[in-house]
Amino acid sequence: MAQSSPSKEQSSTSANRLLFVLRILDAENRLLERADQKAISLLAALGVFMVFFIVYYRLIPINLFTVILLSIYFVVSLMAIVSFILTVRPRIRLVEEETKDTDKAAECEPAFFVGICKFPTLSAYRQALEAMIKDEASAIDVYTRQIFGLARVNAAKYRNIQRAVLLIIIALATELALVAYLFIYYYGQGANMLPPIGG
């Protein structure tokens, strides 16, 4: 009884360590999904506001002020779209960089899609997975590498999202300035001067 008690405590501590590592990994995966969802939502919002120019572009008079506003709007919107693309893209690029930095054993990790795809057969993958499950230190090592790689990906994603949000705010402020200018422009010329929307 006295001999079995320390082994039970040791296995319990080992299970707690692995559970703690898996919780961190789950949290990083959730942040990854949220970053993609935010990027898609903000891109959709930008697209909705771009409809304004598609519908009302014929109402915009061509002068220095409107050309400057339109140039700012389209440049900033294009930069925001690029930031959204960079939000999604680092997932693969940064993981590949992390894989290059690790040793040969880490290149075929049985718990991550990059490593799984490198196994030549299903039986080879099964053997590696079973070996990892039996060796807890190896399992923790694999998951900590994943956490480190995902943390780098998340850092890049949220940096690009923050940039994209700032660019969208600038684009919307420019659009509102253009709307205000159009109101003043056509109000100054009289309501009869307002061109018809349909033609």
Side-chain angles (χ1 to χ4, degrees):
M1 291 288 246
Q3 293 177 353
S4 63
S5 178
S7 64
K8 284 182 179 179
E9 289 179 5
Q10 188 176 8
S11 63
S12 175
T13 304
S14 298
N16 288 338
R17 284 177 58 209
L18 185 59
L19 184 62
F20 180 72
V21 169
L22 290 175
R23 281 181 181 172
I24 296 173
L25 181 62
D26 184 57
E28 290 297 325
N29 280 320
R30 287 176 188 267
L31 286 173
L32 202 72
E33 292 174 5
R34 287 178 189 164
D36 289 337
Q37 290 172 356
K38 286 179 182 179
I40 292 168
S41 299
L42 289 171
L43 186 59
L46 182 63
V48 168
F49 286 105
M50 278 186 162
V51 171
F52 169 81
F53 290 106
I54 296 171
V55 175
Y56 294 105
Y57 75 96
R58 283 182 267 184
L59 299 178
I60 300 173
I62 304 300
N63 57 43
L64 181 62
F65 185 71
T66 57
V67 167
I68 291 172
L69 285 179
L70 286 173
S71 299
I72 293 171
Y73 179 81
F74 285 115
V75 168
V76 169
S77 297
L78 183 62
M79 290 171 64
I81 291 170
V82 170
S83 293
F84 289 133
I85 293 170
L86 292 175
T87 300
V88 178
R89 180 62 185 148
R91 177 182 300 176
I92 295 171
R93 186 174 63 228
L94 288 178
V95 169
E96 286 173 352
E97 288 175 2
E98 178 62 21
T99 305
K100 289 175 186 174
D101 293 340
T102 55
D103 56 3
K104 295 289 182 183
E107 289 182 358
C108 292
E109 292 181 353
F112 200 45
F113 75 94
V114 174
I116 293 170
C117 293
K118 292 182 180 179
F119 284 95
T121 62
L122 176 61
S123 60
Y125 170 68
R126 186 183 294 119
Q127 289 174 1
L129 185 61
E130 288 175 357
M132 188 191 81
I133 292 170
K134 290 176 184 176
D135 184 7
E136 187 200 345
S138 174
I140 290 177
D141 189 42
V142 167
Y143 288 128
T144 51
R145 277 196 294 268
Q146 287 186 36
I147 290 168
F148 182 75
L150 287 174
R152 291 175 61 196
V153 172
N154 283 329
K157 280 178 173 285
Y158 282 94
R159 186 168 55 248
N160 288 320
I161 284 178
Q162 287 176 352
R163 185 187 307 121
V165 168
L166 178 63
L167 292 170
I168 285 178
I169 290 171
I170 295 171
L172 294 181
T174 306
E175 187 173 349
L176 288 174
L178 185 59
V179 170
Y181 173 78
L182 290 177
F183 177 78
I184 294 169
Y185 178 82
Y186 285 113
Y187 184 79
Q189 292 188 359
N192 294 331
M193 296 294 294
L194 186 65
I197 294 176

